[in-house]
Amino acid sequence: MQDQPSYLFPLPHTSLIAALAQHVTLSQEEEAAFLAICEIREAKKKEFLLHTGQPTRALYFVQKGCLRSFIVDKAGKEVNLEFAVEHYWISDIGFGKPALLSIQALEPTQYVQINIAAFEQLTQGYPVFNLFFRKLLQNGYFAFKKRTLSGMTQTAAENYRDFLLKFPDLSQRIPQYHIASYLGITPEFFSSIKSEGLDLYQQAIS
Amino acid sequence: MQDQPSYLFPLPHTSLIAALAQHVTLSQEEEAAFLAICEIREAKKKEFLLHTGQPTRALYFVQKGCLRSFIVDKAGKEVNLEFAVEHYWISDIGFGKPALLSIQALEPTQYVQINIAAFEQLTQGYPVFNLFFRKLLQNGYFAFKKRTLSGMTQTAAENYRDFLLKFPDLSQRIPQYHIASYLGITPEFFSSIKSEGLDLYQQAIS
C-alpha cells in the first residue's frame, strides 16, 4: 500500500491485517488509516508494559513473544490472568482508569501498541472500527468469563487441558510456575495433576 | 415519536432511551429503529430467562425488578456472578454459543429483551449501534474483570462494601444467602463480616 506510513510500521504486518480481517472487511484506505496509529514496540524479557494503578492508555497485539497480565492477590502472591502469544490481543480494558492489572513480557516480545485515544479519533472518520472493536471486546469478554467460570466449575486437570488447547506450545516456552499461577493452583498441585491434564488434552485433539 | 411501533413498546421507555444516551447521540429515526427491536417482557419471581447450555440469543435491560446470573460450581453449589437491577444490562455475552451461565429473576421483573440477531441487522442500517454496543461491552467487561479481581485482592468486608456501593438498596430486597453467594463466601462467614463491611460503606459514602 502506497499510503502506508512505513516509518511507523517498518515490519511485516500481515498478522495484524489478518486479525482485522477476522472481524471486518476494510478498504485500502481504512487499512492504511489503522496502520497509521499502530506503533511497533519491543519489550525485553521481564519488561513491564503496564503496572497496576497506572492509567490504561493502550491495547497490545503480540507479533512475536509472550505477554502476561497478572495481579498481586491479598496474600501477596502473583496470579496470572491471561497470556498473549503470537496474534493475541491483550489490555486492561478500563481505558483512562487506573489499571487493575500489570502486563509484563515473559519472553523478548515484539508487539503492536495502539493508543486508545488515537483509536477513538480513528473511529470518528472510520466508524467500521467500532464494529471491529466491538467484536474484539465481545470475544475477549467471553473468553475471560469462560476462563473465570472454568476455574469454578472444572477440575484443575480440565483447566490444564483447556490451557493446552488454547496455547499448545506455551508450556515449552515459559516456566511451569507461571502455568500453575494461571490455573490458580500451587506448583506442587500442578505437578500432581499434570499428566491427567495431558491425557485429557490428547483425548480432546485425537 | 410517530414511527415508534407502540404495540411492541407500550410502556414508558425513558430509562432505556437514557441508557442509550449515556453512550451515543441518536436521531429520532435511530431511536425508533432501536425501539422497534425491543420486546417488553415480564418474568415471575424465580423464573428463568436463560439456562446454562442453551444458545444465548439476547441481551436484557431491567426496567423494574432484579435478575441474577449464576453458575453451578464443581461442588454443586450455585454461585452468583452478577445482579441486574433497575437500568442494568445483563447477558451471557457468548452470542450463538451455549450459555456459560443461567439468568433468573429474583423478584417479579419487567425487562427489555433485545434479540442479538435483530441487533446485528440493525447495525447494518445504523452503524451508530456498533459504537453503543462497543461502549456497553467495554463497561461490562471492565466491571466483570474488576469484580473478579476484587474477589482475589480484597477482603470479604471490602467486597461487601463494593456490593453496597453498587447496589445500595438490594440487600433489603433479596435473601442474604444470595449476597453471600455473590461475595463467594458462606452465609455464616458473611454474618461475621457484615458489620465491618457496613462500616466501610459508611466511610466510603460520608
Side-chain angles (χ1 to χ4, degrees):
Chain A
M1 266 174 330
Q2 295 230 303
D3 46 359
Q4 177 200 333
S6 61
Y7 54 93
L8 270 173
F9 219 103
L11 296 155
H13 53 267
T14 327
S15 60
L16 186 58
I17 294 299
L20 292 167
Q22 272 184 10
H23 300 299
V24 283
T25 309
L26 298 180
S27 68
Q28 284 214 340
E29 185 188 333
E30 287 162 339
E31 253 182 44
F34 184 83
L35 292 175
I37 65 160
C38 292
E39 299 166 53
I40 284 279
R41 297 275 181 105
E42 290 191 344
K44 294 194 183 79
K45 188 174 168 173
K46 298 196 177 176
E47 194 175 319
F48 278 79
L49 281 68
L50 181 71
H51 282 279
T52 300
Q54 285 179 340
T56 310
R57 299 220 168 88
L59 61 156
Y60 310 100
F61 175 79
V62 176
Q63 299 267 30
K64 191 167 170 38
C66 177
L67 303 175
R68 68 162 175 154
S69 66
F70 72 95
I71 55 155
V72 176
D73 73 9
K74 54 180 179 268
K77 213 176 57 194
E78 289 182 3
V79 180
N80 288 334
L81 301 170
E82 286 162 304
F83 298 116
V85 294
E86 286 74 19
H87 315 158
Y88 274 69
W89 296 91
I90 195 165
S91 176
D92 178 72
I93 296 304
F95 302 114
K97 302 193 187 95
L100 301 172
L101 44 80
S102 299
I103 297 178
Q104 186 192 27
L106 292 183
E107 296 177 326
T109 300
Q110 191 185 80
Y111 62 97
V112 177
Q113 174 169 311
I114 297 166
N115 181 285
I116 200 69
F119 183 85
E120 290 286 358
Q121 209 166 11
L122 179 74
T123 62
Q124 307 281 318
Y126 303 95
V128 68
F129 292 106
N130 282 317
L131 173 59
F132 163 70
F133 199 32
R134 188 201 120 193
K135 293 287 184 181
L136 201 64
L137 284 164
Q138 222 169 294
N139 288 355
Y141 189 0
F142 184 74
F144 184 78
K145 213 163 190 173
K146 190 171 178 187
R147 195 176 106 61
T148 305
L149 304 192
S150 297
M152 299 156 91
T153 55
Q154 295 192 151
T155 65
E158 286 167 335
N159 292 334
Y160 183 46
R161 172 202 59 201
D162 290 352
F163 164 85
L164 291 169
L165 286 168
K166 193 168 179 185
F167 305 107
D169 72 342
L170 193 55
S171 63
Q172 316 305 317
R173 291 164 52 180
I174 62 172
Q176 300 291 294
Y177 64 82
H178 276 311
I179 301 170
S181 163
Y182 174 88
L183 299 175
I185 58 180
T186 63
E188 294 72 27
F189 186 48
F190 178 48
S191 294
S192 77
I193 60 98
K194 208 176 155 184
S195 69
E196 189 190 341
L198 267 168
D199 287 348
L200 292 174
Y201 171 67
Q202 291 299 340
Q203 281 168 35
I205 59 166
S206 67
Chain B
M1 266 175 329
Q2 295 230 303
D3 46 358
Q4 177 200 334
S6 60
Y7 54 93
L8 269 175
F9 219 103
L11 295 156
H13 53 268
T14 327
S15 60
L16 185 58
I17 294 298
L20 292 168
Q22 273 184 10
H23 300 299
V24 284
T25 309
L26 298 180
S27 68
Q28 284 214 340
E29 184 187 334
E30 286 162 339
E31 253 181 45
F34 184 82
L35 293 175
I37 64 160
C38 292
E39 298 166 53
I40 284 280
R41 298 275 181 105
E42 289 190 344
K44 294 194 184 81
K45 188 175 169 173
K46 299 197 176 176
E47 193 176 320
F48 279 78
L49 280 68
L50 180 70
H51 282 279
T52 300
Q54 285 179 339
T56 309
R57 298 220 168 88
L59 61 156
Y60 309 100
F61 175 79
V62 175
Q63 299 268 28
K64 192 167 170 39
C66 178
L67 303 176
R68 67 161 175 154
S69 66
F70 73 95
I71 55 155
V72 176
D73 74 8
K74 54 181 178 267
K77 214 175 56 192
E78 289 182 2
V79 180
N80 287 335
L81 301 171
E82 286 163 302
F83 298 116
V85 294
E86 285 74 17
H87 314 159
Y88 274 67
W89 296 90
I90 195 165
S91 176
D92 178 73
I93 297 303
F95 302 114
K97 302 192 187 95
L100 300 172
L101 45 78
S102 298
I103 298 179
Q104 185 192 29
L106 291 182
E107 295 177 325
T109 300
Q110 191 185 80
Y111 63 96
V112 176
Q113 175 169 311
I114 297 166
N115 181 284
I116 200 68
F119 183 84
E120 290 286 359
Q121 208 166 12
L122 178 74
T123 63
Q124 307 281 319
Y126 303 96
V128 68
F129 292 106
N130 282 317
L131 173 59
F132 162 72
F133 199 33
R134 189 201 120 193
K135 293 287 185 180
L136 201 65
L137 284 164
Q138 223 169 293
N139 288 354
Y141 189 178
F142 184 73
F144 184 78
K145 214 163 189 173
K146 191 171 178 186
R147 194 176 106 61
T148 305
L149 305 192
S150 297
M152 299 157 91
T153 56
Q154 297 192 149
T155 65
E158 287 167 334
N159 292 334
Y160 183 45
R161 173 201 59 200
D162 291 351
F163 165 84
L164 291 169
L165 287 169
K166 193 168 180 186
F167 305 107
D169 72 341
L170 193 55
S171 63
Q172 317 305 317
R173 291 164 52 180
I174 61 172
Q176 300 290 293
Y177 64 83
H178 276 311
I179 302 170
S181 163
Y182 175 87
L183 299 174
I185 58 182
T186 62
E188 294 72 27
F189 186 49
F190 178 48
S191 295
S192 76
I193 61 99
K194 207 177 154 183
S195 69
E196 189 190 342
L198 267 167
D199 288 349
L200 292 173
Y201 171 66
Q202 291 299 339
Q203 283 166 33
I205 60 166
S206 67

